[in-house]
Structure formats: C-alpha cells, structure tokens
Amino acid sequence: MSMIGNYARLTPAELERVVHDPDWGRKFIGELAETEPDERSGASPARCFDTDKAWHALDFLLRRQAFPVDVVFGEEEIPGADGWGQGPPCYLTPGRVRAAAEAFAAMPAAALVSGVTPDDLVQADIYPDIIWVGDESLDYVTNYYQALVPFFQAAAHDGHAMVVWIG
C-alpha cells in the first residue's frame, strides 16, 4: 500500500465544520475530490491535490530550508478524526496558508534541492527509498513542489484553510 500526501482547500466555515464533525469532513472532502473539474477546462482552481509519494521528500527538503509552515503534515490536529490514513489529518488556518504561499513565492524549486543528491534521500531513509535512484529522481520531487506552490497560492488568494493528511 502506498502512502500519498493529500490536501484539501476549505473555506473557514467548512474547516470549522470539519473540526467539529470529522466524519462529515471526510465525506465532504471525498465528494470534493470526486467532483473536481478537469484542470484543462479552465475552470476554477482545484480544491484537492496530492503529492503522490513525494510527500516525505518534500518534508525532508522543506525542513532543510527551515520552511516556516509544516505544509506536509499540517500544524493543528483534527480531534477525533480516525481512519483518514497514516495518522490523523491536520489543518492549516487561512493565515498559515497565506504564510506558506508567501514562503513558497520566495523559494524556487531549484533552491529546494540545492546541494542535495538522491543518495542524501536514501541515507535519510526517505519514503519510498526505492525511487531515489538516478539524477531524475529529484525531478519527481520538484515537479510536485512546482504544482504545490500554485495550489497554496490559489488557496491563500481565496482565504482558504487547508486540511492535510497522509493516506
């Protein structure tokens, strides 16, 4: 079974409801993900996103850069939320989403992996260690990083919070 980094943009009112009723939140976010418009259609920005298996490498690389927001695991646990995946889901308030978007804007993808080799990820036991072979393996992470940045920027622009979990 693969572990995937997941994100859902929520309005402050939706986040409040998720925090008070995590079962409703899981269902609501599942429905959001199922009804996402095709990104090529020019519709509004997606409200759900995943970083596939790049989540652990993103966490490792962002921590190396002293990134000011925990965008991989979230910062506040949703109490009573069980069964969402590997540990409980967490969230970021709209203010923390805005802080992350600002920090992302100041860090190009090249800076994220500057001075890092795939072997560094293997040595740090970053999941899944089998993919950190060859120079292109860092492209896998930077591609997800480059997609995560506009996702957070759109959320910040809209005043959204973020729910984050590893599923």
Side-chain angles (χ1 to χ4, degrees):
M1 174 181 252
S2 294
M3 293 186 287
I4 307 293
N6 296 284
Y7 298 82
R9 296 173 38 189
L10 301 177
T11 66
E14 291 165 345
L15 176 63
E16 185 175 338
R17 184 158 182 201
V18 169
V19 168
H20 289 90
D21 188 352
D23 291 334
W24 174 86
R26 184 172 183 200
K27 182 179 177 196
F28 176 73
I29 291 169
E31 290 170 358
L32 276 179
E34 288 176 13
T35 60
E36 284 282 78
D38 184 346
E39 290 181 29
R40 294 163 294 184
S41 69
S44 62
R47 292 192 58 199
C48 296
F49 181 77
D50 76 72
T51 56
D52 195 52
K53 296 177 214 79
W55 62 271
H56 199 203
L58 286 167
D59 181 59
F60 173 76
L61 295 167
L62 289 167
R63 287 181 190 278
R64 283 183 72 249
Q65 298 292 333
F67 200 79
V69 180
D70 187 348
V71 297
V72 174
F73 294 103
E75 296 181 339
E76 300 288 331
E77 188 175 311
I78 297 175
D82 297 320
W84 286 45
Q86 305 295 318
C90 294
Y91 65 91
L92 300 169
T93 64
R96 297 302 286 157
V97 169
R98 190 171 41 260
E102 291 168 1
F104 278 137
M107 186 169 46
L112 180 71
V113 294
S114 179
V116 177
T117 67
D119 192 51
D120 294 329
L121 300 176
V122 171
Q123 295 301 314
D125 198 27
I126 301 301
Y127 172 86
D129 61 359
I130 195 165
I131 69 170
W132 309 123
V133 178
D135 294 333
E136 309 84 41
S137 63
L138 291 179
D139 292 344
Y140 172 74
V141 179
T142 57
N143 287 338
Y144 277 103
Y145 177 81
Q146 289 171 320
L148 189 61
V149 170
F151 183 75
F152 265 81
Q153 289 171 336
H157 177 268
D158 292 345
H160 283 172
M162 193 82 64
V163 173
V164 182
W165 71 101
I166 308 298

